[in-house]
């Protein structure tokens, strides 16, 4: 299994540009989520999905869109990039096994918005 | 006040020392997770706890639901344990709220 993969690893955008951060998992997990990580702060939930066709907002959803057309893929779209969106973005999927949960994180995407 | 507080923020230890990282939370939870973020940025799951204690190798995690507190202990610490340790709580469903992390450096 490749686990959770994210592309690109690094990206520089100009203010106002749009882009899509890709996330895929090959573990057949229903629950997937996107987080951003900023210095001195904990990971914050942007959007999440409990299965194909179902998405919902997290703590900091403004400026981001998601879709979940398949179980495997969960792309995050920045509609019009702003410097405040400079961050490290992590995609994760969750394995649920009875009452046990294990989080699997992608390697992250470092985004700089100028 | 953050819902999840970790202490200390930074910790430097000598190789072989016993290390404790604390996590306090202010909300009702269904489970608590401990995660490790490597210097290269990758994040791995260490433990999920809903009660009691769990042990994996040199790592031990405990939780006291009544006191809303959890601790992560590392016995016989090693430089390869240097990382950021993150506490996260699940309030309902799979949604997690994260602490800011504890930066651990173990010197040889």
């Amino acid at each position: 299994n490749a686990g959770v993969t994210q592309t690109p690893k690094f990206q520089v955008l100009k203010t106002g540009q749009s882009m899509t951060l890709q996330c895929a998992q090959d573990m057949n997990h229903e629950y997937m989520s996107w987080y951003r990580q900023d210095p001195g702060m904990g990971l914050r939930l942007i959007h999440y999905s409990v299965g194909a066709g179902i998405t919902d907002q997290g703590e900091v959803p403004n400026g981001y869109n998601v879709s979940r057309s398949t179980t495997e893929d969960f792309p995050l779209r920045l509609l019009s990039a702003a410097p405040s969106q400079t961050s490290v973005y992590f995609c994760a999927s969750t394995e649920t096994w009875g009452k046990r949960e294990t989080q699997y994180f992608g390697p992250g995407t470092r985004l700089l918005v100028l | 006040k953050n819902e999840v507080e970790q202490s200390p923020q930074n910790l430097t230890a000598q190789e072989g020392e016993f290390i404790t990282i604390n996590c306090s939370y202010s909300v009702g939870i269904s489970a608590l997770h401990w995660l490790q973020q490597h210097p290269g940025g990758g994040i791995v799951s260490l433990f999920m706890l809903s009660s009691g204690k769990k042990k994996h190798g040199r790592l031990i995690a405990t939780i006291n639901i009544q006191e809303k507190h959890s601790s992560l202990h590392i016995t016989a610490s090693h430089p390869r344990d240097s990382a950021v340790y993150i506490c996260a709580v699940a309030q309902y469903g799979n949604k997690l709220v994260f602490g800011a992390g504890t930066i651990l450096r173990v010197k040889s």
Side-chain angles (χ1 to χ4, degrees), chain A residues 31 35 37 40-45 48 50 57-59 90 94 96 99-107 110, chain B residues 9 31 33 35 37 39-45 47-48 54 86 90 92-101:
Chain A
Y31 188 90
Y35 300 94
Q37 185 177 41
M41 302 181 72
L43 289 153
R44 291 183 292 167
L45 181 64
Y48 66 99
V50 298
Q57 297 180 349
E59 182 185 353
F90 288 95
T94 301
T96 302
K99 290 187 178 180
R100 291 182 58 183
E101 287 180 8
T102 302
Q103 315 293 328
Y104 294 86
F105 285 82
R110 291 184 177 274
Chain B
Q9 288 183 306
H33 296 257
L35 305 150
Q37 185 167 25
I43 302 172
V44 296
S45 180
F47 295 104
M48 173 192 156
K54 285 191 176 178
I86 301 169
Y92 55 90
N94 299 102
K95 293 172 69 173
L96 297 179
V97 178
F98 293 79

Side-chain angles (χ1 to χ4, degrees), chain A residues 51-53 67-75:
Chain A
S67 60
R68 185 93 181 271
S69 57
T70 65
T71 299
E72 293 77 20
D73 299 299
F74 190 41

Side-chain angles (χ1 to χ4, degrees), chain B residues 18-89:
Chain B
F18 180 84
I19 289 165
T20 296
I21 299 170
N22 297 298
C23 176
S24 296
Y25 53 93
S26 57
V27 295
I29 68 169
S30 58
L32 182 143
H33 296 257
W34 282 102
L35 305 150
Q36 179 191 54
Q37 185 167 25
H38 298 297
I43 302 172
V44 296
S45 180
L46 297 176
F47 295 104
M48 173 192 156
L49 293 160
S50 54
S51 64
K53 175 179 172 178
K54 285 191 176 178
K55 184 176 189 293
H56 185 257
R58 295 179 295 106
L59 300 178
I60 303 166
T62 64
I63 188 168
N64 185 318
I65 298 292
Q66 287 73 29
E67 294 186 3
K68 296 187 175 177
H69 181 269
S70 176
S71 293
L72 177 69
H73 305 286
I74 305 174
T75 62
S77 60
H78 190 275
R80 65 175 174 267
D81 297 325
S82 298
V84 178
Y85 291 85
I86 301 169
C87 171
V89 300

